[in-house]
Every structure is written in C-alpha cells, then in structure tokens.
Amino acid sequence: MKKPIAGGSGGAAGIAAALPHAGASRPGRMTRWLESERLLATLLLAPAILLLGLFIAYPFVIGVWLSMSNVSVGNPGEFVGIKNFVKAWNDSIFRTAFWNTGFYTFWATIFKLALGMWVALLLNRHFRGKRIVRAAMLLPFIVPTVLSTFAWRWMFDPTFSVLNWMLYQGGFITTKLPFLSDGTYGMWCAIVVNTWRGMPFFAITLLAGLQTISPDLHEAASLDGANGWHRFWHVTWPLLKPVTVVVVVFSIIQTFSDFQLIYVLTGGGPANATHLLATYAYQIGIATGLLGEGAAISLFMLPVLFIVVWLQLRYLRRLEGA
C-alpha cells in the first residue's frame, strides 16, 4: 500500500499550510518604515542637505539680501533694489577691478595650462628620481598662500628686491624695476605668482590623464610615421580634452574669485590699479563697513562663473556625444 506523498495531491492539508493565510499577520508599521528605501534615502541625504543649506544656501541668500539693501555696520538698513549694482557699475574703480579680474584670470589660466601641460609631459617620461620630482611639484600648491605670497612680496620689494639685485648685477638693467610700485608691473607680478602657485594642480591632474592613454596608440602612430608633435596633437590632445576642460574650469573659478594673493601681494594698489572684484568687495564691504555695496560687488562674479560652468557642461556633453 502506497503512502501519501507529503505536499502531493493527497496532502491538501500541507498545501494549505504552505500558502499564506488571508488572516496571516502583516509586518508592523515600524518594520515597514525600516524597510522603506525612500525613508532610508531621506535619512542618508538629510545630513548633506542640512550642511549644504547651512553653509552654502543660507550665506548665498543672505548675500543676495545684503546686495539689495543699504545695510552697513551698525545700521540694519532697508531694501533698495538694484541701486547698489547701478552704483557699482558707475564706479570707475569697480570697472578697473572688473577688467583686472578678467585680465588676471585669462593670462594666469593660459600660463598655467601651457606650463602644466609641458611639465605633465615631462613627468610622464621615465627617469631616475621621478617620484621625488612629482612630490616636489606639489610644494607650491601645499604651502599656504599667505606664506608663499609674503616670500614673493619680498622678492618684488621696491627697495630690497633680490630680483632687481640679480638683474642689476647681471647687467640686464641699470635702474630698479618698479615691480609692486607700478600698476602694470604689479598686475603681471600677481599673474606670475598665481601661475607659480596653480601650475602644479594642472601638471598633476593632466599627468593623471596622460597615464590613462594607452602607449599602444603612440606606438601605432609612430609606426605610421607620426612625429612627436603629430602624436601629441592627433592622439594625446583629443584624449586629454575632457580632463583639460574640467581643470581649466576649476582654475577659472578659483582665479576669478582670488583674494588672498592680491590682498597680501599688493593690497589692490598702487592707487587701486591691481584690485580684483574680491579685494574691492572686501575693501568696500568690510574695510569701509558698507556691507550692502560690498555684497553687490561680489555678486557680479556670479553670472560670469555661471556662464563658465554652463559652457563647460555643454562642451563636455558634446564630447561625450561625439
């Protein structure tokens, strides 16, 4: 006589036990909350949203409010609309600072890109002590800006400039060069210091991009008869474009809003000739206490940087689609 197989046709009771009962107990509300992906995502994002709101959104909103008010030190002020922006635009020193900011950013970025690319190509070669050289390249980027700028300020000093002494002893000049006592010289000195400080960032980042390019591509190009320039222009540069665009945009943002270097090196002088938007906004908003006008001057940087970031994203999207 055959025995009924458990769970078989003869085991209806077993099937009934395996299927969920209509009245089976459901997970509690707390269990459903703990298993909810939406709740988990909200809890994980909450600290980041709180920090962004506290340290980015709130200062930005306060800055916009200050720029549209006549708030000064000890005076709560009132809403004045775009009056501060119009006043700044009609200010000759503001226009000089705006022009200086664009000039300073353009040339410093060009020099940093050219020198950074050159150094990155050199560091991408194999030679003895390569790791030490790469580590030494980061020194200008690691040293605090104020400290390194004080050293440069001493080298450009009108009276004790070591550069003037070397040029004079070498017979290249007969009178001292007014490095920081002339507006044009002062601006180019600031560009030199910014280039010296920012070039390692370009070099190291571009070097990382170069090392992702397969050497086989260069070998294949060499077999086809391409010389060094052709290998760089037709192989290296197209593959390095996305990295270069990102580095350039970061550099433009940092250089356009630079403050410490100019503040320590020239203080905006002589005669306001080397003021940037950041240093002029500080002078108006903090030194003279006109917080509303200072905030309006600093907000002039926002549309320029927004356009730069928008162009970068548009260009990167085009590269990805190519």
Side-chain angles (χ1 to χ4, degrees), residues 71 220 261 316:
V71 175
L261 195 153
L316 285 178

Side-chain angles (χ1 to χ4, degrees), residues 162-179:
V162 66
L163 296 177
N164 266 333
W165 181 84
M166 292 173 62
L167 293 173
Y168 182 79
Q169 294 296 326
F172 295 102
I173 58 174
T174 55
T175 57
K176 295 178 180 177
L177 296 177
F179 285 118

Side-chain angles (χ1 to χ4, degrees), residues 2-298:
K2 290 185 178 180
K3 295 182 179 178
I5 301 173
S9 58
I15 296 176
L19 294 175
H21 293 283
S25 62
R26 297 179 178 177
R29 179 175 299 177
M30 182 61 71
T31 304
R32 290 200 303 274
W33 280 8
L34 293 176
E35 293 178 350
S36 170
E37 293 184 359
R38 182 175 299 178
L39 178 63
L40 180 63
T42 304
L43 290 176
L44 293 177
L45 288 174
I49 294 173
L50 180 63
L51 290 176
L52 289 175
L54 190 61
F55 295 109
I56 295 180
Y58 177 72
F60 177 73
V61 172
I62 292 296
V64 173
W65 158 246
L66 288 176
S67 68
M68 294 185 175
S69 67
N70 57 358
V71 175
S72 59
V73 176
N75 174 27
E78 58 186 12
F79 182 76
V80 294
I82 61 171
K83 184 179 176 181
N84 289 332
F85 294 95
V86 174
K87 183 178 179 180
W89 188 252
N90 293 324
D91 182 1
S92 61
I93 301 176
F94 168 80
R95 292 187 180 182
T96 302
F98 195 88
W99 163 257
N100 286 343
T101 306
F103 185 84
Y104 174 77
T105 304
F106 177 79
W107 285 111
T109 305
I110 292 292
F111 290 147
K112 284 186 285 189
L113 175 61
L115 291 174
M117 180 67 76
W118 177 59
V119 173
L121 291 172
L122 291 179
L123 293 178
N124 199 36
R125 297 171 177 267
H126 296 287
F127 58 90
R128 184 175 295 178
K130 183 170 63 176
R131 293 182 179 179
I132 297 176
V133 175
R134 287 181 180 178
M137 279 297 303
L138 290 174
L139 281 178
F141 199 64
I142 295 172
V143 175
T145 304
V146 173
L147 183 62
S148 59
T149 307
F150 264 117
W152 279 100
R153 184 176 175 177
W154 173 76
M155 288 190 282
F156 290 134
D157 187 89
T159 306
F160 305 105
S161 170
V162 66
L163 296 177
N164 266 333
W165 181 84
M166 292 173 62
L167 293 173
Y168 182 79
Q169 294 296 326
F172 295 102
I173 58 174
T174 55
T175 57
K176 295 178 180 177
L177 296 177
F179 285 118
L180 299 181
S181 56
D182 179 86
T184 304
Y185 276 89
M187 180 53 65
W188 281 106
C189 288
I191 291 172
V192 168
V193 178
N194 185 280
T195 303
W196 171 83
R197 176 169 171 72
M199 186 267 290
F201 173 67
F202 275 74
I204 297 300
T205 311
L206 294 176
L207 176 63
L210 285 173
Q211 293 187 340
T212 63
I213 300 175
S214 173
D216 296 341
L217 297 175
H218 290 279
E219 293 179 5
S222 299
L223 292 175
D224 290 338
N227 56 25
W229 169 251
H230 288 153
R231 289 199 302 274
F232 171 78
W233 188 250
H234 295 291
V235 178
T236 304
W237 177 243
L239 296 174
L240 208 56
K241 268 185 183 178
V243 177
T244 306
V245 171
V246 173
V247 175
V248 167
V249 169
F250 276 125
S251 175
I252 289 175
I253 293 173
Q254 291 179 350
T255 310
F256 200 84
S257 57
D258 198 359
F259 171 79
Q260 300 179 64
L261 195 153
I262 294 293
Y263 184 74
V264 175
L265 189 66
T266 66
N272 299 313
T274 60
H275 260 311
L276 303 183
L277 285 178
T279 54
Y280 189 52
Y282 175 83
Q283 178 176 311
I284 296 296
I286 303 300
T288 64
L290 302 174
L291 300 176
E293 295 183 20
I297 293 171
S298 65

Side-chain angles (χ1 to χ4, degrees), residues 293-304:
E293 295 183 20
I297 293 171
S298 65
L299 274 181
F300 270 97
M301 291 188 280
L302 181 64
V304 178

